[in-house]
């Protein structure tokens, strides 16, 4: 019965209490304090008044700005009882992120992260979204480097001490392709049926 708008309200209030600013709010016209992506929504879902239902897969993506820096983190949640295929999707997303994090060290190439993620995800029978990627984050919300999550990408750059960036594997149950809603923010699976799982860590 909780709505994504309820979650957004809680995020805004928590930011005010901690004297920080919700980075998404008014960012390039984004109207809310966080992103909430449910089921077939891949990323950048705009919180609304639809009540969450038993079996939903929900991702909450929160970024805050405090003391001159942005901090970005999201988490995927199982709402009530999610079926076995949905649980496997989320578990595979987490495991792909864990394997990607193992690659993070000085001298590693950013483009190699995608090969590790895609190899594992394909072995699980899922697909990796290609339209969106991890990114650098510091005084800027989004900056270099780009961190694609699929193999044979053309990302440039080598990891060095002090680099701060996100790894955000976006994993689909069906096809990897996506569509964009008319709000110019909400990205959804192209087949409109399969579910999605997204997880982020930054380093």
């Amino acid at each position: 019965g909780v709505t994504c708008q309820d979650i957004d309200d809680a995020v805004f209030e928590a930011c005010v209490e901690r004297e920080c600013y919700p980075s998404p709010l008014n960012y390039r016209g984004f109207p809310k304090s966080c992103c909430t992506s449910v089921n077939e929504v891949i990323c950048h879902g705009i919180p609304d008044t639809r009540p969450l239902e038993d079996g939903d897969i929900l991702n909450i993506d929160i970024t805050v700005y405090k003391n001159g820096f942005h901090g970005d983190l999201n988490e995927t949640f199982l709402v009530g009882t999610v079926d076995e295929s949905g649980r496997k999707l989320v578990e595979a997303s987490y495991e792909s992120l864990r394997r990607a994090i193992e690659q993070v060290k000085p001298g590693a190439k950013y483009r190699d992260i995608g090969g590790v993620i895609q190899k594992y995800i394909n072995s699980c029978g899922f697909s990796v979204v290609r339209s969106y990627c991890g990114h650098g984050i510091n005084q800027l919300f989004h900056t270099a480097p780009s961190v694609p999550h699929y193999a044979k990408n053309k990302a440039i750059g080598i990891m060095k001490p002090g680099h701060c960036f996100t790894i955000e594997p976006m994993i689909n149950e069906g096809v990897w392709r996506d569509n964009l809603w008319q709000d110019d923010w909400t990205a959804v699976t192209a087949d409109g049926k399969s579910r999605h799982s997204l997880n982020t860590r930054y380093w």
Side-chain angles (χ1 to χ4, degrees):
V2 172
T3 71
C4 289
Q5 182 60 57
D6 293 332
I7 294 170
D8 188 76
D9 291 342
V11 169
F12 181 81
E13 291 172 5
C15 287
V16 172
E17 290 173 0
R18 292 161 177 80
E19 298 183 344
C20 57
Y21 186 85
S23 302
L25 184 61
N26 297 320
Y27 175 76
R28 297 183 178 178
F30 191 82
K32 300 291 183 176
S33 298
C34 69
C35 300
T36 53
S37 302
V38 183
N39 297 331
E40 77 277 9
V41 178
I42 294 171
C43 60
H44 306 152
I46 299 174
D48 59 19
T49 57
R50 170 194 177 275
L52 293 170
E53 299 176 356
D54 186 63
D56 281 343
I57 296 175
L58 166 68
N59 179 268
I60 304 174
D61 190 349
I62 298 173
T63 304
V64 300
Y65 182 76
K66 187 175 177 67
N67 297 333
F69 288 87
H70 295 273
D72 183 357
L73 184 66
N74 73 65
E75 195 74 44
T76 296
F77 299 92
L78 304 178
V79 181
T81 303
V82 174
D83 61 35
E84 183 178 0
S85 61
R87 293 195 303 272
K88 287 182 176 179
L89 174 67
V90 175
E91 290 168 0
S93 177
Y94 272 102
E95 178 60 18
S96 73
L97 175 62
R98 187 192 68 79
R99 294 182 182 216
I101 290 172
E102 289 182 344
Q103 309 305 308
V104 176
K105 59 184 177 182
K109 298 176 181 177
Y110 284 106
R111 66 171 177 257
D112 290 342
I113 288 177
V116 171
I117 292 172
Q118 184 167 342
K119 181 179 180 181
Y120 177 73
I121 289 302
N122 286 356
S123 74
C124 297
F126 301 126
S127 63
V128 181
V129 174
R130 299 188 179 192
S131 300
Y132 303 92
C133 63
H135 55 87
I137 185 169
N138 44 47
Q139 291 97 335
L140 299 175
F141 191 174
H142 296 92
T143 187
S146 294
V147 187
H149 307 116
Y150 57 90
K152 299 180 180 179
N153 64 76
K154 297 181 180 180
I156 60 174
I158 295 175
M159 299 175 203
K160 296 180 180 180
H163 283 192
C164 188
F165 57 94
T166 69
I167 304 174
E168 310 183 46
M170 301 172 217
I171 311 304
N172 286 357
E173 199 171 31
V175 299
W176 62 264
R177 292 178 175 83
D178 61 276
N179 292 324
L180 188 66
W181 282 2
Q182 291 183 352
D183 60 21
D184 289 331
W185 282 106
T186 307
V188 297
T189 58
D191 55 23
K193 298 178 181 178
S194 63
R195 292 168 295 185
H196 166 79
S197 179
L198 161 67
N199 293 288
T200 304
R201 294 294 183 273
Y202 68 96
W203 302 94

